[in-house]
Structures are given as structure tokens and as C-alpha cells.
PDB file of all heavy atoms in Angstrom:
ATOM      1  N   GLN A   1      -5.293  11.555  -4.115  1.00 94.00           N
ATOM      2  CA  GLN A   1      -5.727  11.792  -5.438  1.00 94.00           C
ATOM      3  C   GLN A   1      -5.926  10.441  -6.223  1.00 94.00           C
ATOM      4  O   GLN A   1      -6.375  10.472  -7.334  1.00 94.00           O
ATOM      5  CB  GLN A   1      -4.732  12.635  -6.245  1.00 94.00           C
ATOM      6  CG  GLN A   1      -4.621  14.027  -5.706  1.00 94.00           C
ATOM      7  CD  GLN A   1      -3.506  14.811  -6.312  1.00 94.00           C
ATOM      8  OE1 GLN A   1      -2.397  14.353  -6.404  1.00 94.00           O
ATOM      9  NE2 GLN A   1      -3.864  15.993  -6.834  1.00 94.00           N
ATOM     10  N   MET A   2      -5.562   9.335  -5.601  1.00 92.00           N
ATOM     11  CA  MET A   2      -5.606   8.086  -6.262  1.00 92.00           C
ATOM     12  C   MET A   2      -7.047   7.570  -6.559  1.00 92.00           C
ATOM     13  O   MET A   2      -7.250   6.672  -7.321  1.00 92.00           O
ATOM     14  CB  MET A   2      -4.843   7.012  -5.548  1.00 92.00           C
ATOM     15  CG  MET A   2      -3.329   7.275  -5.513  1.00 92.00           C
ATOM     16  SD  MET A   2      -2.617   7.369  -7.132  1.00 92.00           S
ATOM     17  CE  MET A   2      -2.771   5.643  -7.689  1.00 92.00           C
ATOM     18  N   THR A   3      -8.036   8.245  -5.926  1.00 92.00           N
ATOM     19  CA  THR A   3      -9.410   7.886  -6.225  1.00 92.00           C
ATOM     20  C   THR A   3      -9.963   8.659  -7.428  1.00 92.00           C
ATOM     21  O   THR A   3     -11.076   8.383  -7.929  1.00 92.00           O
ATOM     22  CB  THR A   3     -10.322   8.126  -5.025  1.00 92.00           C
ATOM     23  OG1 THR A   3     -10.230   9.503  -4.661  1.00 92.00           O
ATOM     24  CG2 THR A   3      -9.958   7.245  -3.900  1.00 92.00           C
ATOM     25  N   SER A   4      -9.151   9.554  -7.908  1.00 92.00           N
ATOM     26  CA  SER A   4      -9.566  10.424  -9.140  1.00 92.00           C
ATOM     27  C   SER A   4      -9.140   9.674 -10.388  1.00 92.00           C
ATOM     28  O   SER A   4      -7.878   9.518 -10.654  1.00 92.00           O
ATOM     29  CB  SER A   4      -8.886  11.724  -9.060  1.00 92.00           C
ATOM     30  OG  SER A   4      -8.961  12.405 -10.321  1.00 92.00           O
ATOM     31  N   ALA A   5     -10.089   9.251 -11.209  1.00 93.00           N
ATOM     32  CA  ALA A   5      -9.800   8.599 -12.466  1.00 93.00           C
ATOM     33  C   ALA A   5      -8.921   9.494 -13.360  1.00 93.00           C
ATOM     34  O   ALA A   5      -8.024   9.010 -14.084  1.00 93.00           O
ATOM     35  CB  ALA A   5     -11.122   8.246 -13.206  1.00 93.00           C
ATOM     36  N   GLU A   6      -9.135  10.801 -13.291  1.00 93.00           N
ATOM     37  CA  GLU A   6      -8.355  11.713 -14.060  1.00 93.00           C
ATOM     38  C   GLU A   6      -6.927  11.724 -13.661  1.00 93.00           C
ATOM     39  O   GLU A   6      -6.011  11.714 -14.542  1.00 93.00           O
ATOM     40  CB  GLU A   6      -9.003  13.147 -13.986  1.00 93.00           C
ATOM     41  CG  GLU A   6      -8.379  14.093 -14.951  1.00 93.00           C
ATOM     42  CD  GLU A   6      -9.086  15.462 -14.885  1.00 93.00           C
ATOM     43  OE1 GLU A   6     -10.352  15.501 -14.827  1.00 93.00           O
ATOM     44  OE2 GLU A   6      -8.367  16.477 -14.825  1.00 93.00           O
ATOM     45  N   ALA A   7      -6.617  11.740 -12.415  1.00 91.00           N
ATOM     46  CA  ALA A   7      -5.239  11.774 -11.950  1.00 91.00           C
ATOM     47  C   ALA A   7      -4.552  10.441 -12.255  1.00 91.00           C
ATOM     48  O   ALA A   7      -3.407  10.402 -12.663  1.00 91.00           O
ATOM     49  CB  ALA A   7      -5.175  11.972 -10.408  1.00 91.00           C
ATOM     50  N   VAL A   8      -5.239   9.312 -12.094  1.00 92.00           N
ATOM     51  CA  VAL A   8      -4.674   7.981 -12.324  1.00 92.00           C
ATOM     52  C   VAL A   8      -4.418   7.807 -13.825  1.00 92.00           C
ATOM     53  O   VAL A   8      -3.403   7.229 -14.185  1.00 92.00           O
ATOM     54  CB  VAL A   8      -5.584   6.881 -11.725  1.00 92.00           C
ATOM     55  CG1 VAL A   8      -5.076   5.497 -12.115  1.00 92.00           C
ATOM     56  CG2 VAL A   8      -5.697   7.016 -10.213  1.00 92.00           C
ATOM     57  N   LYS A   9      -5.335   8.336 -14.643  1.00 93.00           N
ATOM     58  CA  LYS A   9      -5.180   8.183 -16.074  1.00 93.00           C
ATOM     59  C   LYS A   9      -3.893   8.812 -16.546  1.00 93.00           C
ATOM     60  O   LYS A   9      -3.307   8.331 -17.588  1.00 93.00           O
ATOM     61  CB  LYS A   9      -6.363   8.791 -16.777  1.00 93.00           C
ATOM     62  CG  LYS A   9      -6.432   8.597 -18.266  1.00 93.00           C
ATOM     63  CD  LYS A   9      -7.756   8.989 -18.870  1.00 93.00           C
ATOM     64  CE  LYS A   9      -8.185  10.389 -18.524  1.00 93.00           C
ATOM     65  NZ  LYS A   9      -9.369  10.851 -19.304  1.00 93.00           N
ATOM     66  N   LYS A  10      -3.371   9.808 -15.940  1.00 92.00           N
ATOM     67  CA  LYS A  10      -2.138  10.475 -16.304  1.00 92.00           C
ATOM     68  C   LYS A  10      -0.882   9.697 -15.999  1.00 92.00           C
ATOM     69  O   LYS A  10       0.163  10.032 -16.450  1.00 92.00           O
ATOM     70  CB  LYS A  10      -2.077  11.913 -15.681  1.00 92.00           C
ATOM     71  CG  LYS A  10      -3.196  12.830 -16.147  1.00 92.00           C
ATOM     72  CD  LYS A  10      -3.099  14.127 -15.335  1.00 92.00           C
ATOM     73  CE  LYS A  10      -4.184  15.061 -15.791  1.00 92.00           C
ATOM     74  NZ  LYS A  10      -4.136  16.331 -15.047  1.00 92.00           N
ATOM     75  N   LEU A  11      -0.980   8.660 -15.188  1.00 95.00           N
ATOM     76  CA  LEU A  11       0.170   7.902 -14.757  1.00 95.00           C
ATOM     77  C   LEU A  11       0.627   6.955 -15.842  1.00 95.00           C
ATOM     78  O   LEU A  11      -0.166   6.350 -16.541  1.00 95.00           O
ATOM     79  CB  LEU A  11      -0.187   7.060 -13.519  1.00 95.00           C
ATOM     80  CG  LEU A  11      -0.530   7.857 -12.270  1.00 95.00           C
ATOM     81  CD1 LEU A  11      -0.978   6.931 -11.151  1.00 95.00           C
ATOM     82  CD2 LEU A  11       0.718   8.679 -11.791  1.00 95.00           C
ATOM     83  N   SER A  12       1.902   6.848 -16.035  1.00 95.00           N
ATOM     84  CA  SER A  12       2.488   5.912 -17.031  1.00 95.00           C
ATOM     85  C   SER A  12       2.458   4.532 -16.453  1.00 95.00           C
ATOM     86  O   SER A  12       2.257   4.323 -15.255  1.00 95.00           O
ATOM     87  CB  SER A  12       3.930   6.343 -17.325  1.00 95.00           C
ATOM     88  OG  SER A  12       4.775   6.092 -16.195  1.00 95.00           O
ATOM     89  N   LYS A  13       2.776   3.563 -17.278  1.00 95.00           N
ATOM     90  CA  LYS A  13       2.865   2.166 -16.765  1.00 95.00           C
ATOM     91  C   LYS A  13       3.964   2.022 -15.738  1.00 95.00           C
ATOM     92  O   LYS A  13       3.823   1.267 -14.782  1.00 95.00           O
ATOM     93  CB  LYS A  13       3.056   1.195 -17.971  1.00 95.00           C
ATOM     94  CG  LYS A  13       1.827   0.997 -18.802  1.00 95.00           C
ATOM     95  CD  LYS A  13       2.081  -0.001 -19.933  1.00 95.00           C
ATOM     96  CE  LYS A  13       0.771  -0.129 -20.779  1.00 95.00           C
ATOM     97  NZ  LYS A  13       0.948  -1.125 -21.839  1.00 95.00           N
ATOM     98  N   ALA A  14       5.029   2.709 -15.985  1.00 96.00           N
ATOM     99  CA  ALA A  14       6.143   2.696 -15.053  1.00 96.00           C
ATOM    100  C   ALA A  14       5.757   3.256 -13.717  1.00 96.00           C
ATOM    101  O   ALA A  14       6.112   2.743 -12.640  1.00 96.00           O
ATOM    102  CB  ALA A  14       7.374   3.440 -15.584  1.00 96.00           C
ATOM    103  N   ASP A  15       4.962   4.348 -13.706  1.00 96.00           N
ATOM    104  CA  ASP A  15       4.468   4.969 -12.484  1.00 96.00           C
ATOM    105  C   ASP A  15       3.566   3.989 -11.755  1.00 96.00           C
ATOM    106  O   ASP A  15       3.735   3.867 -10.534  1.00 96.00           O
ATOM    107  CB  ASP A  15       3.703   6.230 -12.825  1.00 96.00           C
ATOM    108  CG  ASP A  15       4.588   7.425 -13.256  1.00 96.00           C
ATOM    109  OD1 ASP A  15       5.761   7.383 -13.042  1.00 96.00           O
ATOM    110  OD2 ASP A  15       3.952   8.352 -13.896  1.00 96.00           O
ATOM    111  N   ILE A  16       2.695   3.371 -12.468  1.00 95.00           N
ATOM    112  CA  ILE A  16       1.767   2.393 -11.818  1.00 95.00           C
ATOM    113  C   ILE A  16       2.517   1.241 -11.283  1.00 95.00           C
ATOM    114  O   ILE A  16       2.208   0.737 -10.145  1.00 95.00           O
ATOM    115  CB  ILE A  16       0.671   1.964 -12.815  1.00 95.00           C
ATOM    116  CG1 ILE A  16      -0.218   3.201 -13.136  1.00 95.00           C
ATOM    117  CG2 ILE A  16      -0.128   0.837 -12.286  1.00 95.00           C
ATOM    118  CD1 ILE A  16      -1.214   2.983 -14.261  1.00 95.00           C
ATOM    119  N   ALA A  17       3.519   0.764 -11.960  1.00 96.00           N
ATOM    120  CA  ALA A  17       4.334  -0.356 -11.478  1.00 96.00           C
ATOM    121  C   ALA A  17       5.066   0.060 -10.169  1.00 96.00           C
ATOM    122  O   ALA A  17       5.148  -0.705  -9.238  1.00 96.00           O
ATOM    123  CB  ALA A  17       5.321  -0.776 -12.513  1.00 96.00           C
ATOM    124  N   LYS A  18       5.613   1.230 -10.168  1.00 96.00           N
ATOM    125  CA  LYS A  18       6.280   1.784  -8.976  1.00 96.00           C
ATOM    126  C   LYS A  18       5.317   1.828  -7.784  1.00 96.00           C
ATOM    127  O   LYS A  18       5.677   1.446  -6.658  1.00 96.00           O
ATOM    128  CB  LYS A  18       6.850   3.233  -9.262  1.00 96.00           C
ATOM    129  CG  LYS A  18       7.665   3.817  -8.096  1.00 96.00           C
ATOM    130  CD  LYS A  18       8.202   5.163  -8.476  1.00 96.00           C
ATOM    131  CE  LYS A  18       9.298   4.988  -9.464  1.00 96.00           C
ATOM    132  NZ  LYS A  18      10.034   6.136  -9.752  1.00 96.00           N
ATOM    133  N   LEU A  19       4.146   2.361  -8.012  1.00 96.00           N
ATOM    134  CA  LEU A  19       3.134   2.438  -6.935  1.00 96.00           C
ATOM    135  C   LEU A  19       2.741   1.035  -6.483  1.00 96.00           C
ATOM    136  O   LEU A  19       2.638   0.768  -5.272  1.00 96.00           O
ATOM    137  CB  LEU A  19       1.877   3.191  -7.396  1.00 96.00           C
ATOM    138  CG  LEU A  19       2.052   4.666  -7.653  1.00 96.00           C
ATOM    139  CD1 LEU A  19       0.888   5.262  -8.245  1.00 96.00           C
ATOM    140  CD2 LEU A  19       2.476   5.404  -6.392  1.00 96.00           C
ATOM    141  N   ASN A  20       2.568   0.144  -7.410  1.00 96.00           N
ATOM    142  CA  ASN A  20       2.175  -1.259  -7.062  1.00 96.00           C
ATOM    143  C   ASN A  20       3.224  -1.911  -6.111  1.00 96.00           C
ATOM    144  O   ASN A  20       2.858  -2.671  -5.191  1.00 96.00           O
ATOM    145  CB  ASN A  20       1.862  -2.108  -8.255  1.00 96.00           C
ATOM    146  CG  ASN A  20       0.477  -1.782  -8.830  1.00 96.00           C
ATOM    147  OD1 ASN A  20      -0.370  -1.406  -8.137  1.00 96.00           O
ATOM    148  ND2 ASN A  20       0.308  -2.051 -10.093  1.00 96.00           N
ATOM    149  N   VAL A  21       4.518  -1.692  -6.444  1.00 97.00           N
ATOM    150  CA  VAL A  21       5.549  -2.269  -5.605  1.00 97.00           C
ATOM    151  C   VAL A  21       5.421  -1.746  -4.112  1.00 97.00           C
ATOM    152  O   VAL A  21       5.483  -2.511  -3.170  1.00 97.00           O
ATOM    153  CB  VAL A  21       6.977  -1.932  -6.206  1.00 97.00           C
ATOM    154  CG1 VAL A  21       8.072  -2.249  -5.164  1.00 97.00           C
ATOM    155  CG2 VAL A  21       7.203  -2.725  -7.478  1.00 97.00           C
ATOM    156  N   ALA A  22       5.227  -0.470  -4.040  1.00 96.00           N
ATOM    157  CA  ALA A  22       5.059   0.160  -2.702  1.00 96.00           C
ATOM    158  C   ALA A  22       3.813  -0.356  -1.988  1.00 96.00           C
ATOM    159  O   ALA A  22       3.881  -0.651  -0.803  1.00 96.00           O
ATOM    160  CB  ALA A  22       5.008   1.685  -2.819  1.00 96.00           C
ATOM    161  N   TYR A  23       2.723  -0.442  -2.710  1.00 94.00           N
ATOM    162  CA  TYR A  23       1.464  -0.891  -2.132  1.00 94.00           C
ATOM    163  C   TYR A  23       1.558  -2.371  -1.667  1.00 94.00           C
ATOM    164  O   TYR A  23       1.083  -2.767  -0.615  1.00 94.00           O
ATOM    165  CB  TYR A  23       0.262  -0.745  -3.086  1.00 94.00           C
ATOM    166  CG  TYR A  23      -0.101   0.634  -3.448  1.00 94.00           C
ATOM    167  CD1 TYR A  23      -0.839   0.896  -4.644  1.00 94.00           C
ATOM    168  CD2 TYR A  23       0.296   1.750  -2.704  1.00 94.00           C
ATOM    169  CE1 TYR A  23      -1.182   2.182  -4.994  1.00 94.00           C
ATOM    170  CE2 TYR A  23      -0.063   3.036  -3.110  1.00 94.00           C
ATOM    171  CZ  TYR A  23      -0.777   3.232  -4.270  1.00 94.00           C
ATOM    172  OH  TYR A  23      -1.168   4.503  -4.623  1.00 94.00           O
ATOM    173  N   LYS A  24       2.204  -3.186  -2.492  1.00 97.00           N
ATOM    174  CA  LYS A  24       2.381  -4.612  -2.151  1.00 97.00           C
ATOM    175  C   LYS A  24       3.227  -4.780  -0.915  1.00 97.00           C
ATOM    176  O   LYS A  24       2.941  -5.612  -0.070  1.00 97.00           O
ATOM    177  CB  LYS A  24       2.893  -5.344  -3.384  1.00 97.00           C
ATOM    178  CG  LYS A  24       1.952  -5.650  -4.451  1.00 97.00           C
ATOM    179  CD  LYS A  24       2.530  -6.403  -5.598  1.00 97.00           C
ATOM    180  CE  LYS A  24       1.522  -6.668  -6.716  1.00 97.00           C
ATOM    181  NZ  LYS A  24       2.070  -7.339  -7.876  1.00 97.00           N
ATOM    182  N   ALA A  25       4.271  -3.985  -0.870  1.00 96.00           N
ATOM    183  CA  ALA A  25       5.148  -4.046   0.346  1.00 96.00           C
ATOM    184  C   ALA A  25       4.360  -3.656   1.602  1.00 96.00           C
ATOM    185  O   ALA A  25       4.483  -4.324   2.626  1.00 96.00           O
ATOM    186  CB  ALA A  25       6.386  -3.121   0.164  1.00 96.00           C
ATOM    187  N   PHE A  26       3.530  -2.622   1.521  1.00 93.00           N
ATOM    188  CA  PHE A  26       2.694  -2.189   2.674  1.00 93.00           C
ATOM    189  C   PHE A  26       1.711  -3.327   2.986  1.00 93.00           C
ATOM    190  O   PHE A  26       1.576  -3.628   4.124  1.00 93.00           O
ATOM    191  CB  PHE A  26       1.993  -0.896   2.312  1.00 93.00           C
ATOM    192  CG  PHE A  26       1.123  -0.407   3.416  1.00 93.00           C
ATOM    193  CD1 PHE A  26       1.679   0.330   4.466  1.00 93.00           C
ATOM    194  CD2 PHE A  26      -0.261  -0.659   3.427  1.00 93.00           C
ATOM    195  CE1 PHE A  26       0.880   0.815   5.526  1.00 93.00           C
ATOM    196  CE2 PHE A  26      -1.017  -0.148   4.477  1.00 93.00           C
ATOM    197  CZ  PHE A  26      -0.514   0.562   5.542  1.00 93.00           C
ATOM    198  N   ASN A  27       1.073  -3.835   1.988  1.00 93.00           N
ATOM    199  CA  ASN A  27       0.044  -4.881   2.216  1.00 93.00           C
ATOM    200  C   ASN A  27       0.637  -6.166   2.721  1.00 93.00           C
ATOM    201  O   ASN A  27      -0.101  -6.982   3.309  1.00 93.00           O
ATOM    202  CB  ASN A  27      -0.812  -5.106   0.969  1.00 93.00           C
ATOM    203  CG  ASN A  27      -1.702  -3.940   0.634  1.00 93.00           C
ATOM    204  OD1 ASN A  27      -2.072  -3.161   1.510  1.00 93.00           O
ATOM    205  ND2 ASN A  27      -2.031  -3.760  -0.613  1.00 93.00           N
ATOM    206  N   ALA A  28       1.937  -6.350   2.516  1.00 96.00           N
ATOM    207  CA  ALA A  28       2.626  -7.633   2.939  1.00 96.00           C
ATOM    208  C   ALA A  28       3.018  -7.519   4.413  1.00 96.00           C
ATOM    209  O   ALA A  28       3.734  -8.426   4.876  1.00 96.00           O
ATOM    210  CB  ALA A  28       3.789  -7.853   2.016  1.00 96.00           C
ATOM    211  N   THR A  29       2.614  -6.524   5.147  1.00 95.00           N
ATOM    212  CA  THR A  29       2.984  -6.340   6.542  1.00 95.00           C
ATOM    213  C   THR A  29       1.975  -6.964   7.520  1.00 95.00           C
ATOM    214  O   THR A  29       1.952  -6.605   8.651  1.00 95.00           O
ATOM    215  CB  THR A  29       3.245  -4.885   6.914  1.00 95.00           C
ATOM    216  OG1 THR A  29       2.066  -4.135   6.665  1.00 95.00           O
ATOM    217  CG2 THR A  29       4.389  -4.271   6.063  1.00 95.00           C
ATOM    218  N   THR A  30       1.206  -7.882   7.034  1.00 94.00           N
ATOM    219  CA  THR A  30       0.191  -8.477   7.881  1.00 94.00           C
ATOM    220  C   THR A  30       0.825  -9.110   9.093  1.00 94.00           C
ATOM    221  O   THR A  30       0.305  -8.965  10.230  1.00 94.00           O
ATOM    222  CB  THR A  30      -0.645  -9.538   7.105  1.00 94.00           C
ATOM    223  OG1 THR A  30      -1.231  -8.879   5.970  1.00 94.00           O
ATOM    224  CG2 THR A  30      -1.697 -10.173   7.947  1.00 94.00           C
ATOM    225  N   ASP A  31       1.926  -9.845   8.958  1.00 96.00           N
ATOM    226  CA  ASP A  31       2.585 -10.455  10.132  1.00 96.00           C
ATOM    227  C   ASP A  31       3.037  -9.441  11.099  1.00 96.00           C
ATOM    228  O   ASP A  31       2.878  -9.644  12.297  1.00 96.00           O
ATOM    229  CB  ASP A  31       3.674 -11.320   9.643  1.00 96.00           C
ATOM    230  CG  ASP A  31       3.250 -12.578   8.920  1.00 96.00           C
ATOM    231  OD1 ASP A  31       2.070 -12.973   8.992  1.00 96.00           O
ATOM    232  OD2 ASP A  31       4.149 -13.215   8.238  1.00 96.00           O
ATOM    233  N   GLN A  32       3.637  -8.351  10.591  1.00 96.00           N
ATOM    234  CA  GLN A  32       4.093  -7.276  11.462  1.00 96.00           C
ATOM    235  C   GLN A  32       2.967  -6.588  12.255  1.00 96.00           C
ATOM    236  O   GLN A  32       3.072  -6.368  13.407  1.00 96.00           O
ATOM    237  CB  GLN A  32       4.925  -6.240  10.697  1.00 96.00           C
ATOM    238  CG  GLN A  32       6.287  -6.785  10.169  1.00 96.00           C
ATOM    239  CD  GLN A  32       6.149  -7.586   8.908  1.00 96.00           C
ATOM    240  OE1 GLN A  32       5.062  -7.724   8.273  1.00 96.00           O
ATOM    241  NE2 GLN A  32       7.264  -8.127   8.481  1.00 96.00           N
ATOM    242  N   ARG A  33       1.895  -6.347  11.483  1.00 93.00           N
ATOM    243  CA  ARG A  33       0.755  -5.674  12.141  1.00 93.00           C
ATOM    244  C   ARG A  33       0.139  -6.573  13.245  1.00 93.00           C
ATOM    245  O   ARG A  33      -0.170  -6.156  14.319  1.00 93.00           O
ATOM    246  CB  ARG A  33      -0.278  -5.263  11.120  1.00 93.00           C
ATOM    247  CG  ARG A  33       0.153  -4.059  10.328  1.00 93.00           C
ATOM    248  CD  ARG A  33      -0.843  -3.635   9.244  1.00 93.00           C
ATOM    249  NE  ARG A  33      -0.496  -4.292   8.029  1.00 93.00           N
ATOM    250  CZ  ARG A  33      -1.387  -4.748   7.167  1.00 93.00           C
ATOM    251  NH1 ARG A  33      -2.688  -4.495   7.326  1.00 93.00           N
ATOM    252  NH2 ARG A  33      -1.018  -5.342   6.070  1.00 93.00           N
ATOM    253  N   THR A  34       0.099  -7.897  12.898  1.00 94.00           N
ATOM    254  CA  THR A  34      -0.465  -8.821  13.881  1.00 94.00           C
ATOM    255  C   THR A  34       0.433  -8.886  15.133  1.00 94.00           C
ATOM    256  O   THR A  34      -0.015  -8.914  16.234  1.00 94.00           O
ATOM    257  CB  THR A  34      -0.572 -10.247  13.207  1.00 94.00           C
ATOM    258  OG1 THR A  34      -1.489 -10.135  12.103  1.00 94.00           O
ATOM    259  CG2 THR A  34      -1.077 -11.298  14.240  1.00 94.00           C
ATOM    260  N   ALA A  35       1.742  -8.867  14.884  1.00 96.00           N
ATOM    261  CA  ALA A  35       2.681  -8.956  16.031  1.00 96.00           C
ATOM    262  C   ALA A  35       2.601  -7.746  16.945  1.00 96.00           C
ATOM    263  O   ALA A  35       2.591  -7.894  18.160  1.00 96.00           O
ATOM    264  CB  ALA A  35       4.132  -9.124  15.478  1.00 96.00           C
ATOM    265  N   VAL A  36       2.506  -6.574  16.351  1.00 95.00           N
ATOM    266  CA  VAL A  36       2.471  -5.371  17.192  1.00 95.00           C
ATOM    267  C   VAL A  36       1.125  -5.226  17.880  1.00 95.00           C
ATOM    268  O   VAL A  36       1.147  -4.803  19.107  1.00 95.00           O
ATOM    269  CB  VAL A  36       2.829  -4.060  16.436  1.00 95.00           C
ATOM    270  CG1 VAL A  36       4.247  -4.113  15.873  1.00 95.00           C
ATOM    271  CG2 VAL A  36       1.805  -3.718  15.411  1.00 95.00           C
ATOM    272  N   VAL A  37       0.077  -5.613  17.282  1.00 94.00           N
ATOM    273  CA  VAL A  37      -1.208  -5.578  17.953  1.00 94.00           C
ATOM    274  C   VAL A  37      -1.275  -6.556  19.131  1.00 94.00           C
ATOM    275  O   VAL A  37      -1.723  -6.245  20.202  1.00 94.00           O
ATOM    276  CB  VAL A  37      -2.400  -5.874  16.922  1.00 94.00           C
ATOM    277  CG1 VAL A  37      -3.681  -6.132  17.649  1.00 94.00           C
ATOM    278  CG2 VAL A  37      -2.511  -4.750  15.989  1.00 94.00           C
ATOM    279  N   LYS A  38      -0.756  -7.758  18.868  1.00 95.00           N
ATOM    280  CA  LYS A  38      -0.698  -8.751  19.947  1.00 95.00           C
ATOM    281  C   LYS A  38       0.219  -8.281  21.088  1.00 95.00           C
ATOM    282  O   LYS A  38      -0.128  -8.380  22.309  1.00 95.00           O
ATOM    283  CB  LYS A  38      -0.146 -10.070  19.448  1.00 95.00           C
ATOM    284  CG  LYS A  38      -0.013 -11.191  20.434  1.00 95.00           C
ATOM    285  CD  LYS A  38       0.490 -12.504  19.814  1.00 95.00           C
ATOM    286  CE  LYS A  38       0.631 -13.515  20.873  1.00 95.00           C
ATOM    287  NZ  LYS A  38       1.217 -14.775  20.310  1.00 95.00           N
ATOM    288  N   ASN A  39       1.384  -7.693  20.755  1.00 95.00           N
ATOM    289  CA  ASN A  39       2.268  -7.187  21.772  1.00 95.00           C
ATOM    290  C   ASN A  39       1.684  -6.040  22.538  1.00 95.00           C
ATOM    291  O   ASN A  39       1.833  -5.963  23.790  1.00 95.00           O
ATOM    292  CB  ASN A  39       3.580  -6.778  21.099  1.00 95.00           C
ATOM    293  CG  ASN A  39       4.580  -6.243  22.129  1.00 95.00           C
ATOM    294  OD1 ASN A  39       4.680  -5.045  22.387  1.00 95.00           O
ATOM    295  ND2 ASN A  39       5.297  -7.191  22.787  1.00 95.00           N
ATOM    296  N   MET A  40       0.973  -5.093  21.891  1.00 94.00           N
ATOM    297  CA  MET A  40       0.391  -4.017  22.612  1.00 94.00           C
ATOM    298  C   MET A  40      -0.608  -4.513  23.607  1.00 94.00           C
ATOM    299  O   MET A  40      -0.735  -4.001  24.758  1.00 94.00           O
ATOM    300  CB  MET A  40      -0.300  -3.026  21.638  1.00 94.00           C
ATOM    301  CG  MET A  40       0.647  -2.187  20.881  1.00 94.00           C
ATOM    302  SD  MET A  40      -0.237  -0.866  19.906  1.00 94.00           S
ATOM    303  CE  MET A  40      -1.002  -1.874  18.620  1.00 94.00           C
ATOM    304  N   LYS A  41      -1.362  -5.520  23.200  1.00 94.00           N
ATOM    305  CA  LYS A  41      -2.342  -6.117  24.164  1.00 94.00           C
ATOM    306  C   LYS A  41      -1.686  -6.762  25.367  1.00 94.00           C
ATOM    307  O   LYS A  41      -2.108  -6.549  26.482  1.00 94.00           O
ATOM    308  CB  LYS A  41      -3.234  -7.099  23.413  1.00 94.00           C
ATOM    309  CG  LYS A  41      -4.410  -7.628  24.258  1.00 94.00           C
ATOM    310  CD  LYS A  41      -5.316  -8.494  23.409  1.00 94.00           C
ATOM    311  CE  LYS A  41      -6.485  -8.951  24.267  1.00 94.00           C
ATOM    312  NZ  LYS A  41      -7.436  -9.714  23.440  1.00 94.00           N
ATOM    313  N   GLN A  42      -0.661  -7.563  25.072  1.00 94.00           N
ATOM    314  CA  GLN A  42       0.012  -8.240  26.174  1.00 94.00           C
ATOM    315  C   GLN A  42       0.789  -7.306  27.011  1.00 94.00           C
ATOM    316  O   GLN A  42       0.774  -7.383  28.285  1.00 94.00           O
ATOM    317  CB  GLN A  42       0.949  -9.349  25.608  1.00 94.00           C
ATOM    318  CG  GLN A  42       0.301 -10.551  24.958  1.00 94.00           C
ATOM    319  CD  GLN A  42       1.238 -11.460  24.283  1.00 94.00           C
ATOM    320  OE1 GLN A  42       2.321 -11.138  23.980  1.00 94.00           O
ATOM    321  NE2 GLN A  42       0.782 -12.690  24.095  1.00 94.00           N
TER     322      GLN A  42
END
């Protein structure tokens, strides 16, 4: 539902901040993703 402007508009600043923390943590896993992809190949 995050692509729906209507759904996102209903979120509070605290809600958006909570989501951003989770998204940033997920996006910060570049090193882990690189490691597992390399390992699967080897």
C-alpha cells in the first residue's frame, strides 16, 4: 500500500520515521547481500 498516496497521507510523522528506520536498516545490508551472493557462487 506504500505506493498509494492516500494510504501514505494518513501516516503520522512518527509512523514515517518508524518506517524510515526499518527501510534504512534493510538498505544498509549491501555488504551482507554481497557476501551471500559471493558465497553462493563459490
Side-chain angles (χ1 to χ4, degrees):
Q1 294 172 310
M2 292 303 292
T3 58
S4 164
E6 188 174 316
V8 173
K9 186 168 54 172
K10 294 177 183 179
L11 296 173
S12 70
K13 286 183 182 184
D15 289 341
I16 292 171
K18 184 179 289 191
L19 292 172
N20 280 334
V21 167
Y23 295 161
K24 284 180 182 178
F26 181 83
N27 290 334
T29 61
T30 302
D31 290 344
Q32 289 82 5
R33 287 180 269 148
T34 299
V36 299
V37 167
K38 180 179 177 183
N39 181 266
M40 285 187 290
K41 185 174 184 177
Q42 290 174 340

